[in-house]
Structures are given as structure tokens and as C-alpha cells.
């Protein structure tokens, strides 16, 4: 069975309540519950942290054994050399996802340290981007 881990970074625990005009009104837990029955052939897991080091530890933990990591690093996308290095350091392909179209937003969101290391990038399709990322790994 393929093992795929979705990792959400800072502030994404607030989905559903956080700027719903940008990120929608569904919680990630509710959305994740709709993903599970769509992929019965996948061992699909979800991890969220607001702490950069915890995100690094998780990538190291699964990055030599899982078939895919789907990473929405939130604001760390635009700041974290350490996350970029972690992606370079592991074997598992990482798909970068952003819920909003970061290129239609502030200039500081246009640069990603993660994109050059990602196997693929899905931006601006709302929560559906996570489903698209899973399909891309199958
Ligand atoms: C985000 C975009 C980032 O710029 C922002 O900091 C987030 C969410 C997105 O999914 O659209 O926290 O990664």
C-alpha cells in the first residue's frame, strides 16, 4: 500500500476560521475526511505543525520510506532554507501545494524556497489541490 503524508505548516490549523475569503470555510479535518474514502488504496496520513523544527523532523521521519509527501508549508514557503534543504535531503518526492494563488497576492508570496526542490507544484485550486497532488503520486 502506498503511504502518502500531507503536511500542513503554520496557521493552517485555522483553516475554516482563518480568512475564509482567501482559504474557504472548511476545516482541514473535514476536508481530510472526504479524501480518505476517495483513496482506499492509499495509506493517507495528515500532520500539521506551527513549528518549523517539527516540520523538519516529520520530513526526516517519513522521507526515506513513504511514496509521497504533500507539503503546504504556509508562510515558511517564503522564508525557510531549512525546509528546502530537508526536501533535498530525503528520497521521497515532495509536491508543493498552496490553497490560494500566491502569485495573485503580495510580492513576498511570489518566491518559494520549496519550489526548486519540489517534484511538482499545485497552486490556487483551493483544498482540491491536495486531491490533485495525491492523484499525481499514484
Ligand atoms: C498558503 C500561502 C502562503 O503565502 C500563506 O502564508 C499560507 C497559506 C496557501 O496555502 O495559500 O499560510 O501556503
Amino acid at each position: 500500500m502506498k503511504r502518502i503524508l500531507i503536511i500542513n505548516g503554520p496557521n493552517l490549523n485555522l483553516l475554516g476560521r482563518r480568512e475564509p475569503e482567501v482559504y474557504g470555510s472548511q476545516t482541514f479535518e473535514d476536508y481530510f475526511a472526504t479524501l480518505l474514502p476517495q483513496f482506499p488504496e492509499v495509506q493517507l496520513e495528515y500532520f500539521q505543525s506551527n513549528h518549523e523544527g517539527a516540520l523538519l523532523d516529520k520530513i526526516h521521519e517519513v522521507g526515506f520510506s513513504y511514496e509521497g509527501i504533500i507539503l503546504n508549508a504556509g508562510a515558511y514557503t517564503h522564508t525557510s532554507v531549512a525546509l528546502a534543504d530537508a526536501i533535498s535531503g530525503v528520497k521521497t518526492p515532495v509536491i508543493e501545494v498552496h490553497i490560494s494563488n500566491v502569485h495573485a497576492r503580495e510580492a513576498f508570496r511570489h518566491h518559494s524556497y520549496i519550489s526548486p526542490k519540489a517534484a511538482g507544484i499545485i497552486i490556487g485550486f483551493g483544498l482540491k489541490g491536495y486531491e490533485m497532488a495525491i492523484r499525481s503520486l499514484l
Side-chain angles (χ1 to χ4, degrees), residues 84-129:
D85 283 351
I87 295 165
S88 297
V90 298
K91 286 212 154 58
T92 301
V94 173
I95 312 289
E96 177 181 1
V97 168
H98 298 287
I99 297 165
S100 65
N101 179 359
V102 286
H103 296 290
R105 301 180 64 193
E106 302 96 321
F108 66 83
R109 297 185 203 277
H110 298 177
H111 177 261
S112 166
Y113 282 100
I114 289 163
S115 295
K117 316 290 183 181
I121 307 164
I122 299 172
I123 291 175
F125 289 96
L127 290 174
K128 196 174 171 41

Side-chain angles (χ1 to χ4, degrees), residues 49-96:
S49 178
N50 294 319
H51 303 276
E52 191 173 10
L55 299 171
L56 295 170
D57 288 343
K58 198 48 139 177
I59 291 169
H60 299 170
E61 182 187 318
V62 307
F64 295 90
S65 53
Y66 281 35
E67 281 69 31
I69 295 173
I70 297 165
L71 175 63
N72 184 347
Y76 289 144
T77 304
H78 318 300
T79 63
S80 181
V81 175
L83 276 174
D85 283 351
I87 295 165
S88 297
V90 298
K91 286 212 154 58
T92 301
V94 173
I95 312 289
E96 177 181 1

Side-chain angles (χ1 to χ4, degrees), residues 14-26:
L14 295 180
L15 283 177
R17 288 185 288 163
R18 170 194 187 197
E19 300 179 82
E21 65 288 357
V22 178
Y23 300 112
S25 51
Q26 194 172 25

